[in-house]
Amino acid sequence: MDKSFKYIANKDKKSVLKVDLDNITANDLYNFLSLPENEIESLINLAAKVKEDNVGNTVYYRGLIEYSNICSKNCLYCGIRACNANVVRYELSEEEVVNAARFAAEHSYANLVIQSGERSDSEFIHKIARLLSKIHAETDHKLRITLSLGEHTYDTYKLWKDCGADRYLLRIETSNEDLYKKLHPNDGKHSYSKRVKAIETLRKLEYQVGSGVMIGLPFQTIEHMVNDLLFLKNYDIDMVGMGPYIEHQDTPLYKYKDLLLSKNERFLLGVKMVASLRILMKDINIAATTAMQALNPNGREIAIMAGANVIMPNITPLKYRKEYLLYEDKPCTDEDSEQCLKCLEKRITSTGNQIGYDSWGDSKHFTRRG
Ligand code: SAM
Ligand code: SF4
């Protein structure tokens, strides 16, 4: 028998899946995502083995700065969409960003993510460019910087790359164009093909490219999610952040809340997606997202056990955290960065993983591409 074949069995061996690790098919992915709760453990165990063999049991930190909740777009699921009048809008000052970056450098995170609502005005674009240069200068070029600022032109992405952005995270949200249309207004600003093109532009500019999807959306099927995983593979994505969709009452999508799976079911689907992706794309970086923790207090640890190897501790100044509410019950809105750090360290080591302090933890998939 070919060595690469693995059997996944549940504890009482009643159900056995046979997979060829070198050739994971759409059918395998469908079977993984359809596993009932009492059989997930075997999938997690296989993903953990694949992780250990390919990227090791180290979890890398990316200090997350939620730079601004000002957004020009109106994604129907997002709590900080432009039309939500209940949000108090903010933008961090240059000093606040640099202080947060210093915190990340001093605490050996080695990595920073700057995330924000989407704005394409020239003031915003140049502010980000200046911030990138300033952060590198003030932290002795110790930090790798990821941006997550939405869709922009080739020239803007190039400017930011030239100023020192290394990675870019742009979730496709769903790889199904019809579903994408149901999740976004038809106002000329939200286009599936534009989003795909933006991912292609980032690749051309040689960013480490991140993407991802939401899991458990209204109208989403297991077939959609299988295709999401295959999309990430086909676009040769280097790093993935994906997590459960969580409803927010001030958004248009909230009206479909009765169509949703329960929070526990969405969480379990999230775990199965992470494990399946690790088995499919063995050497990429996968984040254990905050949305996983929002649905289960141990959600990020379980995601780490199921194959994730990146975590994004929030280092935004505390006073802004409650204004970056993408969804209900977002965790870590009342713990400062120091408290967050202590609690995280314990949580991660409890999974048998170590923390990659002072390490960039670049995606092996990216470095291997050369
Ligand atoms: N504005 C940029 C963009 O959309 O790419 C970056 C910031 S945006 C808040 C980051 C991610 O939040 C989105 O890609 C989306 O997947 C996620 N998000 C927004 N609303 C959400 C919700 N209700 N539940 C789960 N994730 C959500
Ligand atoms: Fe704006 Fe991003 Fe939220 Fe869409 S998901 S409304 S682009 S912050």
Side-chain angles (χ1 to χ4, degrees):
M1 187 189 64
D2 187 320
K3 260 201 342 268
S4 65
F5 275 96
K6 288 271 185 270
Y7 290 90
I8 314 181
N10 66 335
K11 273 198 194 110
D12 55 13
K13 305 265 186 295
K14 271 195 189 135
S15 146
V16 179
L17 291 171
K18 183 182 155 196
V19 287
D20 173 359
L21 278 181
D22 296 329
N23 183 28
I24 299 294
T25 63
N27 196 37
D28 292 331
L29 296 172
Y30 188 92
N31 290 337
F32 294 165
L33 297 181
S34 308
L35 285 173
E37 184 167 358
N38 64 350
E39 293 177 29
I40 294 180
E41 198 185 329
S42 35
L43 179 66
I44 292 180
N45 290 344
L46 178 61
K49 179 81 177 77
V50 171
K51 172 178 155 183
E52 187 173 7
D53 291 350
N54 290 275
V55 293
N57 283 332
T58 301
V59 172
Y60 300 98
Y61 278 177
R62 279 84 172 97
L64 173 65
I65 302 178
E66 292 163 340
Y67 172 66
S68 170
N69 63 1
I70 302 171
C71 188
S72 59
K73 290 176 99 171
N74 265 307
C75 307
L76 302 179
Y77 42 82
C78 178
I80 61 169
R81 60 199 301 274
C83 283
N84 184 2
N86 295 331
V87 176
V88 179
R89 304 287 165 174
Y90 74 85
E91 182 176 1
L92 264 58
S93 68
E94 191 172 288
E95 194 190 350
E96 286 171 321
V97 176
V98 172
N99 283 343
R102 274 204 204 98
F103 176 91
E106 282 159 12
H107 289 78
S108 303
Y109 284 19
N111 298 279
L112 204 64
V113 177
I114 303 178
Q115 193 182 80
S116 173
E118 187 176 313
R119 274 174 60 188
S120 50
D121 53 284
S122 136
E123 188 193 334
F124 178 81
I125 290 167
H126 289 98
K127 225 185 258 179
I128 297 294
R130 273 198 310 280
L131 270 176
L132 287 164
S133 308
K134 181 114 196 218
I135 291 168
H136 280 308
E138 297 283 330
T139 58
D140 295 330
H141 296 264
K142 274 190 188 156
L143 299 171
R144 277 262 202 269
I145 306 181
T146 306
L147 296 180
S148 176
L149 308 172
E151 293 160 37
H152 293 275
T153 61
Y154 178 95
D155 290 347
T156 299
Y157 285 150
K158 176 151 188 349
L159 172 71
W160 290 342
K161 182 111 199 318
D162 292 344
C163 291
D166 305 285
R167 312 175 178 132
Y168 203 101
L169 185 57
L170 186 72
R171 288 185 177 183
I172 190 66
E173 314 297 1
T174 169
S175 62
N176 183 283
E177 191 163 1
D178 289 336
L179 180 56
Y180 192 94
K181 282 186 185 144
K182 292 194 176 95
L183 306 175
H184 297 92
N186 182 13
D187 61 359
K189 281 193 188 172
H190 302 74
S191 140
Y192 176 79
S193 59
K194 210 175 143 219
R195 204 144 177 103
V196 172
K197 282 210 181 80
I199 293 176
E200 289 166 352
T201 304
L202 291 163
R203 165 73 72 234
K204 260 189 226 135
L205 284 162
E206 297 182 0
Y207 275 94
Q208 286 185 47
V209 180
S211 193
V213 294
M214 282 180 286
I215 300 156
L217 289 157
F219 314 112
Q220 194 182 34
T221 63
I222 296 287
E223 284 84 355
H224 290 146
M225 286 179 263
V226 168
N227 287 327
D228 288 345
L229 295 169
L230 295 173
F231 173 96
L232 298 169
K233 171 103 175 152
N234 290 341
Y235 279 83
D236 208 22
I237 294 299
D238 301 308
M239 42 190 220
V240 171
M242 58 184 180
Y245 159 70
I246 305 171
E247 61 274 33
H248 187 303
Q249 63 174 358
D250 295 333
T251 62
L253 215 61
Y254 192 71
K255 64 173 175 280
Y256 300 116
K257 66 180 191 318
D258 296 336
L259 296 181
L260 297 174
L261 294 171
S262 73
K263 289 195 170 172
N264 186 48
E265 285 167 318
R266 267 177 277 162
F267 170 72
L268 294 174
L269 210 42
V271 176
K272 290 190 268 188
M273 282 288 277
V274 167
S276 304
L277 182 66
R278 173 57 70 202
I279 295 167
L280 181 68
M281 299 185 75
K282 299 172 179 55
D283 60 356
I284 63 168
N285 280 348
I286 304 177
T289 55
T290 313
M292 294 290 278
Q293 193 190 353
L295 295 191
N296 180 312
N298 299 317
R300 287 190 297 187
E301 292 87 308
I302 297 171
I304 287 170
M305 292 193 282
N309 66 333
V310 163
I311 210 153
M312 292 161 58
N314 199 331
I315 56 170
T316 312
L318 201 54
K319 65 176 175 183
Y320 299 114
R321 301 253 187 109
K322 286 202 173 2
E323 302 305 337
Y324 202 85
L325 280 198
L326 312 178
Y327 45 79
E328 291 169 355
D329 301 327
K330 190 165 165 251
C332 291
T333 53
D334 52 9
E335 276 179 349
D336 69 22
S337 307
E338 288 280 359
Q339 285 169 311
C340 238
L341 188 58
K342 284 194 192 111
C343 130
L344 255 186
E345 200 169 56
K346 261 198 230 140
R347 283 166 175 261
I348 293 168
T349 46
S350 75
T351 64
N353 281 245
Q354 62 196 25
I355 299 161
Y357 284 121
D358 287 317
S359 178
W360 284 330
D362 283 323
S363 162
K364 284 204 165 58
H365 191 72
F366 176 81
T367 41
R368 279 182 186 144
R369 193 187 300 114

